[in-house]
Amino acid sequence: YDQCQSFRGNHVDYYVVERKPAVGIIAFTTERQLILERQYRHPAQEWIIEAPAGLMDKGPESAPQTIKRELLEETGYQIKKVRHLIDLYASAGVLEHAFKLYIGFDAVRIAEPALDQSEDLEVMLMDLDQAIGMIKSKKIKDAETIVGIMLAQDYIKEHGYN
């Protein structure tokens, strides 16, 4: 809960959800398959299809290091090269939660997922066109994932899968 003064001089009460910064990745395998997750999200009370992501809560780890670790833990895929796509806020009117989004290519499965106790998820692989179709048919609802997939489409048109 915060009390502040607006730029126009009004006193305003804010309820703010504070959360550590997070990172996410639009990751493609060596076969150009997009790695997504189907994960139960209690606040939404449904299974949500989303990009691998995680909080930056493991000490002095950089954002690229965090997303590589999260991708491996959640999916079993290892990725070496990641590129920054965008920094965004999921809901700046309520959340103090910065989100860094990356794209990566040539991910290889090297292990079984090592999920946290709170994670219930399934790994999904699909091509980019299928994911865009799932956005259009409202099967993918997660905002960061939608932004990431659409930016990935533009990135790939300009740079290819590398």
Side-chain angles (χ1 to χ4, degrees), residues 9-74:
N10 300 320
H11 291 283
V12 181
D13 294 336
Y14 274 106
Y15 291 91
V16 178
V17 177
E18 295 176 358
R19 195 149 190 229
K20 292 188 182 294
V23 293
I25 189 165
I26 304 301
F28 292 89
T29 68
T30 53
E31 294 82 27
R32 297 183 177 176
Q33 293 288 293
L34 177 58
I35 303 167
L36 295 175
E37 302 168 349
R38 183 175 170 264
Q39 186 166 188
Y40 184 76
R41 294 298 192 181
H42 182 73
Q45 305 242 330
E46 65 181 283
W47 289 83
I48 302 293
I49 298 170
E50 57 191 37
L55 297 175
M56 295 184 63
D57 60 357
K58 301 284 190 230
E61 199 173 53
S62 71
Q65 289 170 326
T66 299
I67 198 52
K68 289 176 184 180
R69 176 182 51 77
E70 287 288 343
L71 182 68
L72 181 60
E73 288 175 3
E74 293 181 358

Side-chain angles (χ1 to χ4, degrees), residues 24-28 62-69 71 78-85 101-105 107 155 162:
I25 189 165
I26 304 301
F28 292 89
S62 71
Q65 289 170 326
T66 299
I67 198 52
K68 289 176 184 180
R69 176 182 51 77
L71 182 68
Q78 182 178 51
I79 200 159
K80 291 184 180 172
K81 208 178 240 188
V82 297
R83 290 175 178 83
H84 183 253
L85 281 176
L101 194 54
Y102 291 83
I103 190 168
F105 300 99
Y155 181 95
N162 51 39

Side-chain angles (χ1 to χ4, degrees), residues 93-105:
V94 176
L95 293 174
E96 180 191 335
H97 181 62
F99 192 90
K100 293 182 176 297
L101 194 54
Y102 291 83
I103 190 168
F105 300 99

Side-chain angles (χ1 to χ4, degrees), residues 56-162:
M56 295 184 63
D57 60 357
K58 301 284 190 230
E61 199 173 53
S62 71
Q65 289 170 326
T66 299
I67 198 52
K68 289 176 184 180
R69 176 182 51 77
E70 287 288 343
L71 182 68
L72 181 60
E73 288 175 3
E74 293 181 358
T75 69
Y77 280 86
Q78 182 178 51
I79 200 159
K80 291 184 180 172
K81 208 178 240 188
V82 297
R83 290 175 178 83
H84 183 253
L85 281 176
I86 193 170
D87 294 338
L88 54 90
Y89 293 97
S91 181
V94 176
L95 293 174
E96 180 191 335
H97 181 62
F99 192 90
K100 293 182 176 297
L101 194 54
Y102 291 83
I103 190 168
F105 300 99
D106 297 326
V108 177
R109 184 143 191 229
I110 64 164
E112 290 296 316
L115 302 177
D116 292 340
Q117 183 180 3
S118 64
E119 294 174 317
D120 288 311
L121 65 85
E122 301 167 6
V123 177
M124 303 172 68
L125 299 177
M126 66 187 68
D127 62 39
L128 183 58
D129 289 339
Q130 184 181 0
I132 291 167
M134 292 179 78
I135 291 169
K136 291 178 180 178
S137 66
K138 300 173 180 67
K139 291 179 182 160
I140 295 179
K141 302 175 185 178
D142 179 67
E144 288 102 344
T145 302
I146 292 169
V147 168
I149 289 170
M150 302 311 289
L151 289 174
Q153 182 182 38
D154 289 345
Y155 181 95
I156 290 166
K157 281 180 185 174
E158 186 174 335
H159 303 284
Y161 283 88
N162 51 39

